[in-house]
Amino acid sequence: SPWNPSLQAMESEISAAFASGEPEDILSSAFRLTVTREDICTLRPLGWLNDRIMNFYMGLLVERSKKEGYPAVYAFNTFFYSKLSSANHKAVKKWTKGVDIFEHDVILVPIHLSIHWTLLVVDLREKTIKYFDSLGQKGDDICKTVLKYLEEESKEKRNIELSASEWTLRSMGTEEIPQQSNGSDCGVFVCKFADFISRDKPIIFTTEHMPYFRRKMVWEIIHQQLL
């Protein structure tokens, strides 16, 4: 069955996705996104993951969260934070049209910092905002920007004042989360941080898992099914 493919079948499929055909071939489409062979090829070893791959993977995580036994997950688009940080709540108000983000358990905010991917995670159950950076940089200001956004969104959408003092904001330390060992794996780290967090699982992978995660992501994106 396609849900439990043999390793051999998977490997040949992944290799074919990288190898044959035109860069503009569409290999997957969902979540109002199309992923081309060129996009998929960013998952080759040491490739730099692009917005399409990041957003598609976030879409897969949100989809999975609708199943029984998973926390309810909302994921913002990779362009959300750059828009919010360069403007204000008004500029991104329409992004959540028809959605109450506060009805979710976990909100994922993938962040593109010019040449680096990081992840911010809001846990509405615990009232925490945590920042995950596989290069160990602090994101305290990013946490504050998102808390301010949540306050304005709550007032605007639900007419409820969030009490900022009840919230805990923190940047995860290098001893708490795995760190990348090269200049190109940050996107994969962000996707896997989000994967583990959206299952309420402890983050136990390491930089050694990256080549395997990259290949697995190719299969998952093509089949629109998380393994």
Side-chain angles (χ1 to χ4, degrees):
S1 85
W3 309 133
N4 190 11
S6 79
L7 233 60
Q8 209 178 348
M10 281 177 73
E11 281 301 335
S12 56
E13 212 178 337
I14 292 161
S15 301
F18 286 151
S20 52
E22 299 300 319
E24 62 276 8
D25 289 344
I26 291 172
L27 300 191
S28 198
S29 56
F31 322 118
R32 298 194 198 143
L33 292 167
T34 53
V35 171
T36 64
R37 189 179 310 280
E38 193 173 4
D39 297 323
I40 284 286
C41 283
T42 67
L43 284 162
R44 278 182 178 148
L46 302 183
W48 188 268
L49 271 55
N50 66 14
D51 289 282
R52 258 188 227 165
I53 293 291
M54 301 296 286
N55 287 321
F56 202 95
Y57 198 78
M58 294 296 147
L60 291 174
L61 296 177
V62 168
E63 213 43 51
R64 179 179 66 190
S65 84
K66 295 171 185 170
K67 291 184 189 163
E68 195 63 49
Y70 289 94
V73 175
Y74 184 83
F76 277 105
N77 182 291
T78 52
F79 304 107
F80 168 78
Y81 184 77
S82 30
K83 185 78 175 156
L84 172 67
S85 59
S86 65
N88 54 20
H89 180 265
K90 213 182 243 100
V92 291
K93 208 169 79 172
K94 289 203 177 80
W95 291 50
T96 51
K97 197 169 185 267
V99 180
D100 182 355
I101 58 172
F102 298 98
E103 282 176 1
H104 298 77
D105 298 316
V106 173
I107 300 170
L108 303 171
V109 188
I111 293 174
H112 198 191
L113 303 168
S114 65
I115 56 160
H116 184 49
W117 289 110
T118 63
L119 180 70
L120 182 138
V121 178
V122 179
D123 192 321
L124 289 156
R125 303 164 295 186
E126 297 177 355
K127 296 190 176 166
T128 59
I129 298 178
K130 291 180 182 169
Y131 183 70
F132 294 77
D133 184 344
S134 53
L135 284 180
Q137 293 158 332
K138 297 273 174 253
D140 300 343
D141 289 344
I142 296 176
C143 291
K144 283 179 196 146
T145 302
V146 171
L147 179 59
K148 185 165 184 278
Y149 165 80
L150 291 173
E151 290 179 70
E152 291 172 338
E153 181 77 358
S154 181
K155 207 157 39 190
E156 175 93 19
K157 293 277 168 82
R158 317 184 293 169
N159 209 8
I160 296 174
E161 297 274 351
L162 273 198
S163 168
S165 60
E166 293 175 8
W167 284 74
T168 306
L169 279 53
R170 74 193 195 90
S171 299
M172 304 301 281
T174 50
E175 67 298 330
E176 296 176 276
I177 56 169
Q179 299 290 293
Q180 66 193 85
S181 55
N182 57 41
S184 51
D185 277 340
C186 54
V188 187
F189 272 87
V190 165
C191 288
K192 297 319 282 186
F193 286 148
D195 169 25
F196 280 65
I197 289 160
S198 63
R199 289 181 285 154
D200 281 334
K201 292 279 182 266
I203 293 166
I204 50 166
F205 60 83
T206 70
T207 187
E208 274 78 57
H209 291 92
M210 292 299 131
Y212 163 69
F213 283 158
R214 283 175 174 272
R215 294 185 76 80
K216 188 167 127 170
M217 284 174 70
V218 172
W219 193 94
E220 291 174 325
I221 289 169
I222 290 173
H223 288 272
Q224 300 171 21
Q225 173 73 21
L226 294 168
L227 290 164

